[in-house]
Amino acid sequence: MQTKTKQANPQTEANKKWQEKNREKAKYLRNRSTTRSFIKNQATLEDIKELQQLIQIRIEFLASASEQTQ
């Protein structure tokens, strides 16, 4: 019996290469995707209320940091 060797899909190889070169950006995109999925599909009302508080704190921090650089 003859076995076939799988050849890698060129797009898959290109994606892997990009992810290796852009580790931080890939991590950011993966985390963002996971967060959005959690909010849309699993988050409870309690989770969303907690996330709102955390988001507000982050907004204030980023606004403050932005004002300091201007």
Side-chain angles (χ1 to χ4, degrees):
M1 182 184 274
Q2 210 174 36
T3 59
K4 288 185 179 181
T5 56
K6 276 191 177 179
Q7 290 184 352
N9 178 342
Q11 187 61 54
T12 303
E13 287 297 315
N15 287 345
K16 187 176 177 182
K17 217 177 218 187
W18 183 89
Q19 288 176 348
E20 288 172 2
K21 286 178 124 177
N22 300 282
R23 287 186 187 272
E24 287 301 312
K25 182 70 173 180
K27 180 181 175 183
Y28 167 81
L29 293 172
R30 191 171 44 253
N31 287 342
R32 185 177 71 177
S33 177
T34 301
T35 301
R36 288 177 174 180
S37 179
F38 173 75
I39 291 169
K40 288 179 184 178
N41 301 315
Q42 296 177 322
T44 64
L45 182 58
E46 185 177 308
D47 291 332
I48 292 173
K49 287 179 179 181
E50 180 183 0
L51 290 169
Q52 281 180 314
Q53 292 173 347
L54 295 170
I55 290 168
Q56 187 57 44
I57 292 168
R58 183 69 175 160
I59 288 171
E60 291 168 6
F61 171 79
L62 292 173
S64 173
S66 175
E67 289 173 1
Q68 290 178 2
T69 60
Q70 291 177 355

